[in-house]
Structure formats: structure tokens, C-alpha cells
Amino acid sequence: MRYVSDSDAKQRLAALLDTVQRGPVTIRREDREVAVVISPTDFKRLRSNDVEEFQRFCNRVSARAKARGSTQEMLDVLLNE
């Protein structure tokens, strides 16, 4: 991963935007990482991974609930209380 200072990021914004098309860039301020800039393509990929992981989590919870005898009717009662 590439690193730049916050002042370099401000001064060379166009170059920074070109660079993130090839990979993430971390922006540092006073020796601390304060931001990471990524391309829209990488952002969409990360977001879709979050959705897919959440769906896998929901599927695991659902399977465990069914294995323990939970039904849709029981869930409806719980959610309507």
C-alpha cells in the first residue's frame, strides 16, 4: 500500500486520484494514518463482500433456529410483541 502525507494529498489531488485506480493509498497526518482512499471499483467490491458475509451470517442463524425447532410463526409472534 502506498502512503502520502495529508499536505501531499491536498497538493497533488489529481495524481492521488490516478494512483488509487491501481491500489489503495493511505493518508497520514503527523505520523498517524487518518484515511484510506480507494477506487470506486474497490469500494463496490468491498460493499458486496459485506452484503454477502451478512447473508451468510443470516443463513447460519436461520439454520440454527430451525434446528432448535423455531418456526416462522414463532418469529412473527416475537417480532409483533
Side-chain angles (χ1 to χ4, degrees):
M1 182 176 305
R2 183 164 178 189
Y3 297 88
V4 298
S5 69
D6 60 339
S7 59
D8 283 344
K10 280 190 263 182
Q11 292 173 0
R12 301 182 200 162
L13 180 60
L16 174 66
L17 296 176
D18 289 338
T19 301
V20 299
Q21 301 309 309
R22 295 183 298 278
V25 176
T26 300
I27 300 174
R28 289 182 172 168
R29 176 185 294 155
E30 297 177 9
D31 295 325
R32 290 182 303 119
E33 296 177 356
V34 295
V36 176
V37 183
I38 61 174
S39 70
T41 302
D42 287 344
F43 180 73
K44 288 176 189 170
R45 182 180 48 80
L46 290 171
R47 293 282 306 217
S48 71
N49 287 345
D50 288 344
V51 170
E52 292 166 4
E53 179 58 31
F54 180 69
Q55 187 60 55
R56 285 192 293 272
F57 168 76
C58 290
N59 292 342
R60 286 192 309 270
V61 170
S62 176
R64 288 179 187 163
K66 286 179 185 176
R68 293 180 177 156
S70 295
T71 64
Q72 184 63 47
E73 292 79 22
M74 294 168 78
L75 179 60
D76 292 341
V77 169
L78 287 171
L79 294 176
N80 289 322
E81 288 184 351

